[in-house]
Amino acid sequence: MTTSSPWLAELASPSDTHRQRALARQSQLTKPAGSLGELENVAVRLAALQGTDTPNAERVQIAVFAGDHGVCDEGISLFPQAVTGQMIANFVTGGAAISVMARQLGAALEVINTGTVCAPPLSDGVVDEQVAAGTANLARESAMDAQQLAAALAAGDRSAARALERGCQLFIAGEMGIGNTTSASALACALLAEHPTHLTGPGTGLDRQGVQHKAAVIQQALARHQQQHGDDATPLTCLQSLGGFEIAAITGALIGCAARGIPVLVDGFIVSVAALCAVQLRPALSCWLLFAHRSREPGHQRILDALEATPLLDLGMRLGEGSGAAVAVPLIRSACALHNQMATFADAGVSNADG
């Protein structure tokens, strides 16, 4: 991989001028200082990221990346891999949770197939970015080779480029892939030097015995990774060895958005692991990430801690697809409306604490 790769472009910088003006406006709105809590912080951050005095989140782009995982051969999921392709069709025809949320929000929804074992029943409406028919079994060999990793990263970057063309003000990445919580957990363990028992959860609904088996498979993958790569824990090495095509594509999309000046609203566990990988690769990315919710997946809090992230919501969700991020969009829109439309003390003829 070379520095000419689009996802390695220089990242945009937030506007400190607009941040300072947003802070000044917040101090003059007709409310006690800080009384809107995190809504104030969101508005100020968006003003800086969007380089505007009137932050906005009306034009939302949701990109759902789908891919299959060879580690399913180890019996780590309750569902067959055919479900991934079937869910791609469900996204496109409007029956999935994220499809419903996109309609409700008036958001653009893009579905990207990064590599499935079974072809989706529908092709219309699906962006074809198939790298291969799923990754290799990460418990026994590297999930992908260097060329496949580069292809997946570039697919994510192209999604960010399309978001820019559509005038996107806020980008949401979602994911779908039977077995992808195993891949994400293994990747997070490698990036954070954590034991699998600390980060492994039920995914699609495993019982206690199933979670224990899943953790054992992840431990096997980490041992294989250590034997193959030694102490090389660089983000790209870990992503190639333990990741999924959709996780790599999300990594590329997040970096691609920051390079193009597009704020990102991060979903749950799997997208947060992609964000962790992306931030370790490009630390300047972190300021472009807003975090929507705390997933019920037990490893998510550890990822949030590593990213020093405070999520907006905690609803016990663990669906994925970008659904938790979509649910947070109305809060962000409210934050923008309050910032842009509330009267100042001078406008309303109200005396403030200094007056």
Side-chain angles (χ1 to χ4, degrees):
M1 249 163 285
T2 68
T3 55
S4 63
S5 298
W7 54 273
L8 286 178
E10 183 178 354
L11 302 190
S13 297
S15 169
D16 189 61
T17 297
H18 288 94
R19 177 180 178 275
Q20 294 300 328
R21 290 213 291 253
L23 286 169
R25 176 170 174 78
Q26 283 288 335
S27 71
Q28 291 301 312
L29 297 180
T30 49
K31 60 178 177 59
S35 59
L36 288 175
E38 192 61 26
L39 295 178
E40 297 182 16
N41 296 331
V42 167
V44 170
R45 287 193 62 191
L46 275 182
L49 294 172
Q50 295 176 344
T52 181
D53 292 327
T54 54
N56 203 310
E58 292 307 309
R59 296 193 300 275
V60 176
Q61 174 77 35
I62 302 172
V64 181
F65 298 86
D68 275 320
H69 295 258
V71 73
C72 287
D73 291 346
E74 304 294 331
I76 46 78
S77 176
L78 295 176
F79 293 90
Q81 288 185 285
V83 170
T84 304
Q86 293 164 0
M87 281 302 298
I88 289 176
N90 195 28
F91 295 140
V92 173
T93 56
I98 193 59
S99 310
V100 173
M101 292 301 303
R103 285 197 300 274
Q104 183 186 41
L105 296 171
L109 176 63
E110 181 176 81
V111 182
I112 302 107
N113 180 10
T114 66
T116 54
V117 172
C118 301
L122 298 173
S123 59
D124 290 347
V126 179
V127 179
D128 182 14
E129 292 278 14
Q130 177 122 334
V131 177
T135 56
N137 182 351
L138 60 85
R140 302 178 186 276
E141 59 184 307
S142 286
M144 61 191 94
D145 61 31
Q147 290 72 31
Q148 290 172 333
L149 174 60
L153 288 163
D157 184 77
R158 284 190 287 271
S159 178
R162 291 189 295 272
L164 180 66
E165 291 171 359
R166 294 164 183 160
C168 172
Q169 295 167 320
L170 187 68
F171 183 89
I172 293 172
E175 43 63 39
M176 173 63 208
I178 298 301
N180 65 3
T181 57
T182 298
S183 177
S185 297
L187 178 57
C189 286
L191 294 173
L192 297 175
E194 283 280 1
H195 193 275
T197 55
H198 298 157
L199 299 183
T200 304
T204 51
L206 294 173
D207 59 18
R208 182 178 178 181
Q209 184 176 359
V211 172
Q212 290 174 344
H213 171 66
K214 182 175 171 181
V217 170
I218 292 171
Q219 183 60 50
Q220 179 182 341
L222 293 172
R224 188 269 310 156
H225 174 76
Q226 174 68 24
Q227 184 178 22
Q228 185 174 353
H229 298 286
D231 294 328
D232 183 2
T234 61
L236 290 182
T237 299
C238 295
L239 188 55
Q240 179 182 332
S241 179
L242 301 164
F245 294 145
E246 82 279 33
I247 297 172
I250 292 169
T251 301
L254 301 187
I255 296 171
C257 282
R260 294 171 175 85
I262 304 172
V264 175
L265 183 60
V266 178
D267 191 45
F269 177 64
I270 293 162
V271 178
S272 294
V273 172
L276 176 67
C277 186
V279 168
Q280 287 196 3
L281 184 65
R282 306 293 299 280
L285 170 67
S286 60
C287 66
W288 289 92
L289 305 179
L290 304 170
F291 289 81
H293 77 119
R294 180 180 292 105
S295 169
R296 194 174 178 183
E297 192 70 14
H300 194 210
Q301 184 59 57
R302 176 67 179 92
I303 309 305
L304 292 171
D305 290 343
L307 290 165
E308 299 181 352
T310 301
L312 293 170
L313 298 169
D314 187 348
L315 300 174
M317 296 178 69
R318 56 179 181 86
L319 174 60
E321 302 179 4
S323 57
V327 168
V329 169
L331 279 181
I332 293 176
R333 289 177 173 173
S334 293
C336 293
L338 290 163
H339 181 84
N340 297 336
Q341 299 173 29
M342 279 183 70
T344 64
F345 286 106
D347 293 334
V350 176
S351 297
N352 63 17
D354 296 328

